[in-house]
Amino acid sequence: MSQGLVWYVSYGSNMHRDRLACYLQGGRPPGAFVTYPGARNSAPPLAEMGIELPGSIYFAGSSTVWGGGGMAFYDHHVPGPTPAKAYLITAQQFADVADQEMNRPPSSDNPLETLACELPVGSAHSVGPGGYETLLVLDRADSIPMVTFTAPHGSDAVTHTIPGEPYLTMLRLGVEEVSSVSTVGSVSTLNSVAATPQPAAAQV
């Protein structure tokens, strides 16, 4: 059953299932300035669950999707907890979401599709320098990897910026959904993730 499946752990606006649906099925989220093509496989998640991450999110950069304002990134070295939602999707869909987070169309060339299933728990691996190109393998649930993506650096390496209101609205809706679905506890193994992810040149 676990073949090709991952739990995609969202700590940002994708906690809101309708926002994630734009990455899977295509479309434009309310308040956004970008229309997404959708994933190569547009099927909805097979399941979802609320969890807590041991680290914290921070906001940095300027979002072209939401008309400016900071974007959420996850730093596993800063104490949390952080609410998050895990979606059971295919590894291909996970890679397609990551591509669209980086403003690229989904492509079979994204190594995250393979790495998400092959790397051991506690791994951190950068496939590029972008804000959402560092894979974190957080844990396993029923033998299925729990994975997310974030920036290759920590929160202390960049200037923090204030998120825009449309983005904050998505975050609030997502947090409300997390509280309404079953929360299965915290992901403690993330603290063992390597402090220095592999550089982009090490990608497979």
Side-chain angles (χ1 to χ4, degrees):
M1 176 180 176
S2 64
Q3 184 68 31
L5 294 176
V6 300
W7 285 102
Y8 161 46
V9 179
S10 172
Y11 51 82
S13 62
N14 286 347
M15 288 187 291
H16 184 31
R17 64 176 65 91
D18 288 348
R19 195 272 188 270
L20 178 69
C22 293
Y23 280 136
L24 298 179
Q25 300 166 8
R28 177 182 296 195
F33 290 82
V34 173
T35 299
Y36 296 98
R40 287 168 287 169
N41 175 357
S42 62
L46 297 173
E48 62 182 63
M49 62 180 173
I51 63 172
E52 280 189 347
L53 296 176
S56 293
I57 64 168
Y58 63 96
F59 297 93
S62 180
S63 173
T64 57
V65 174
W66 302 104
M71 300 168 286
F73 300 98
Y74 178 69
D75 188 339
H76 56 281
H77 295 299
V78 177
T82 291
K85 191 200 281 186
Y87 296 97
L88 186 60
I89 60 176
T90 69
Q92 182 190 83
Q93 287 177 311
F94 174 73
D96 288 354
V97 171
D99 270 333
Q100 291 173 90
E101 285 278 14
M102 292 303 302
N103 301 313
R104 297 189 299 254
S107 168
S108 60
D109 295 332
N110 192 332
L112 290 183
E113 182 174 337
T114 300
L115 292 172
C117 293
E118 292 185 349
L119 291 179
V121 171
S123 296
H125 189 101
S126 293
V127 298
Y132 296 110
E133 291 188 305
T134 295
L135 171 71
L136 301 180
V137 184
L138 312 176
D139 206 341
R140 283 183 176 268
D142 297 327
S143 300
I144 299 173
M146 302 183 74
V147 294
T148 194
F149 38 70
T150 188
H153 49 70
S155 62
D156 59 352
V158 292
T159 300
H160 293 196
T161 53
I162 299 173
E165 188 55 39
Y167 188 53
L168 282 175
T169 297
M170 286 291 160
L171 287 172
R172 293 187 191 107
L173 291 170
V175 170
E176 289 175 4
E177 286 184 9
V178 167
S179 64
S180 69
V181 297
S182 176
T183 300
V184 297
S186 62
V187 177
S188 59
T189 53
L190 185 57
N191 289 322
S192 66
V193 170
T196 306
Q198 297 181 43
Q203 64 183 309
V204 296

